[in-house]
Amino acid sequence: MHRISDEQRRIRLGRRHLLAPSVRADSPVAAADAVVALHATDAATVFLAACARLTAPSIAVVERSLYEDVALVRLLSMRNTLFAVSAELAPCVDASTARSIAAKERRTLVSHLAEDSNRLDAIWLAEAEEAVLATLAMHGSATGSQLSADVPALKTKITVFPGRKHETVQGVATRVIRLLAADCRIRRDRPRGSWTSSQFRWTASDPWPALPAAEARAELARRWLHSYGPATEADFKWWTGWTLGNVRKALATVGAEEVRLDEGTGYVAPGDTAPEPPVEPWAALLPALDPSAMAWADRGFHFTADHRAELFDRSGNVGPTVWWNGQIIGGWAQRADGEIVLRLLADTGREATAAIEAEAARLRGWVGEARITPRFRTPLERELTA
């Protein structure tokens, strides 16, 4: 069995994730495709992750891809998490993952409606959704609050888990809008505020073409292996959120090859066992939830285990990180006055320090007056902004 060392994995990461300066992308779509999908739970992450991989970082260019060209689209998908993927890949992500999530979300809401004292049902829900779509057809785009003002059904409140320990009263507006987005009948348009805001306007969209789920899972597996391989079966299962059976079928369909890693058996795309050509030394400042730090269940090959408690929160969400040659060596944060502050957790020498400072200056240059606070805050990020 072919062996691939942790050092080779780090070289691959710098090249294939477009983090080394010589391989950076010229478009946000190429940046997203390099890592398969960009985390989008935190609105700022899409911009920060894309621009870290662009030759010329630009907020306007990312906005154009999201809202004008719609070449990047947000989908509720892997692990029931919001991701931004290229429009080319979106049908595969939708068929492999998002459809089943949307169906589960719908069953859950219909169940809650039925348990409420008003005894609402799927017909009521369908009528509420059609009213939302009619409002968007009239106005073009609208915020959630605007939709609630125009669609009386969205003002409805229901009792969830009646008579049980967790009984609570909830409005249905957010749930109905979330369902329409999960079904790709609406999409997020420009936010009310700046690019860091998560208060989006909504606009109508068309569902993606239906693909066979098994075929879509195989294509997603192929792309993931190219970007993140070598990686283990457990890594792929964690990233997708699929059942172990679907993971194994997808890996078998694409002919994934077994390789030996420091932690055991891993997989690569067929024929992808040759050593990666070296890249020049590189530094990067990546945002909270960046895919390069979140794509493996076992991330031990690119950071020291002693630093986990500082860099990750209790749920395993990574904060803003400082990278040198494929390893996480520290963290960064932005203070209230806009200053970008760093802390290195390892001594890597003058060359690394100079390259990291250059990346920090590059980040300051394009972020400008924006202020960035991660949704999931980590101990090191909190300490740096204290």
Side-chain angles (χ1 to χ4, degrees):
M1 188 187 299
H2 193 89
R3 183 179 185 280
I4 297 180
S5 68
D6 282 353
E7 177 60 25
Q8 267 295 312
R9 295 177 77 180
R10 290 190 286 267
I11 292 172
R12 284 173 176 242
L13 192 150
R15 179 178 294 277
R16 299 191 182 189
H17 289 210
L18 306 184
L19 292 169
S22 63
V23 294
R24 285 177 179 157
D26 59 0
S27 77
V29 174
D33 278 340
V35 290
V36 186
L38 300 172
H39 276 260
T41 303
D42 197 331
T45 297
V46 176
F47 290 82
L48 293 163
C51 286
R53 295 167 169 85
L54 294 180
T55 302
S58 168
I59 295 166
V61 167
V62 179
E63 286 181 323
R64 185 164 63 246
S65 293
L66 286 166
Y67 307 123
E68 296 176 26
D69 303 336
V70 198
L72 274 181
V73 295
R74 295 179 175 94
L75 288 177
L76 185 65
S77 48
M78 287 73 71
R79 303 189 314 282
N80 206 17
T81 299
L82 194 65
F83 283 88
V85 303
S86 67
E88 177 192 9
L89 183 59
C92 285
V93 174
D94 182 61
S96 68
T97 310
R99 286 299 86 238
S100 59
I101 290 173
K104 183 178 180 181
E105 292 266 329
R106 183 170 295 278
R107 288 194 300 270
T108 299
L109 180 54
V110 169
S111 174
H112 288 326
L113 292 174
E115 288 182 338
D116 183 68
S117 59
N118 291 317
R119 295 289 186 259
L120 303 174
D121 57 17
I123 295 174
W124 178 90
L125 176 58
E127 291 172 350
E129 290 175 303
E130 290 303 320
V132 170
L133 294 174
T135 300
L136 289 177
M138 183 183 306
H139 297 295
S141 68
T143 64
S145 58
Q146 289 169 336
L147 288 171
S148 293
D150 288 349
V151 179
L154 294 187
K155 298 185 179 72
T156 302
K157 294 185 181 297
I158 59 173
T159 301
V160 179
F161 306 120
R164 281 169 274 179
K165 180 180 179 181
H166 301 295
E167 177 179 322
T168 184
V169 176
Q170 295 180 353
V172 302
T174 299
R175 301 287 290 272
V176 173
I177 291 170
R178 179 182 170 91
L179 263 187
L180 284 167
D183 281 337
C184 302
R185 299 173 73 191
I186 64 174
R187 63 174 175 82
R188 290 164 178 81
D189 203 4
R190 289 183 181 272
R192 291 183 61 186
S194 74
W195 56 274
T196 63
S197 172
S198 293
Q199 296 185 16
F200 292 100
R201 296 178 177 87
W202 297 91
T203 191
S205 64
D206 295 320
W208 298 103
L211 298 177
E215 176 184 312
R217 285 193 291 267
E219 175 61 15
L220 197 60
R222 184 187 67 79
R223 294 193 183 218
W224 188 85
L225 285 171
H226 176 77
S227 295
Y228 297 100
T232 66
E233 185 180 79
D235 290 330
F236 189 44
K237 181 180 184 299
W238 180 85
W239 186 82
T240 57
W242 298 345
T243 65
L244 183 58
N246 282 337
V247 164
R248 288 175 172 170
K249 287 176 184 175
L251 292 175
T253 299
V254 299
E257 290 188 29
E258 288 189 4
V259 294
R260 190 168 69 254
L261 305 177
D262 288 355
E263 68 265 33
T265 300
Y267 293 88
V268 295
D272 192 20
T273 57
E276 195 77 28
V279 292
E280 74 277 25
W282 60 272
L285 268 63
L286 299 183
L289 301 178
D290 188 88
S292 290
M294 291 289 291
W296 299 270
D298 181 357
R299 304 156 194 168
F301 77 94
H302 59 47
F303 75 94
T304 301
D306 291 345
H307 300 154
R308 176 181 287 274
E310 295 172 275
L311 298 168
F312 292 80
D313 70 10
R314 293 181 180 179
S315 299
N317 299 305
V318 73
T321 48
V322 176
W323 293 66
W324 174 244
N325 289 342
Q327 289 184 293
I328 299 174
I329 63 164
W332 66 272
Q334 186 188 41
R335 290 181 174 158
D337 63 1
E339 180 185 5
I340 302 293
V341 289
L342 313 171
R343 178 175 298 167
L344 302 186
L345 303 174
D347 182 7
T348 53
R350 292 182 180 179
E351 181 184 17
T353 300
I356 291 164
E357 288 177 351
E359 283 299 303
R362 194 169 90 110
L363 177 63
R364 290 186 196 101
W366 71 263
V367 165
E369 298 301 313
R371 296 294 178 265
I372 303 155
T373 302
R375 178 172 296 187
F376 304 107
R377 305 191 68 185
T378 55
L380 181 54
E381 189 271 337
R382 287 181 180 275
E383 189 175 337
L384 288 173
T385 56

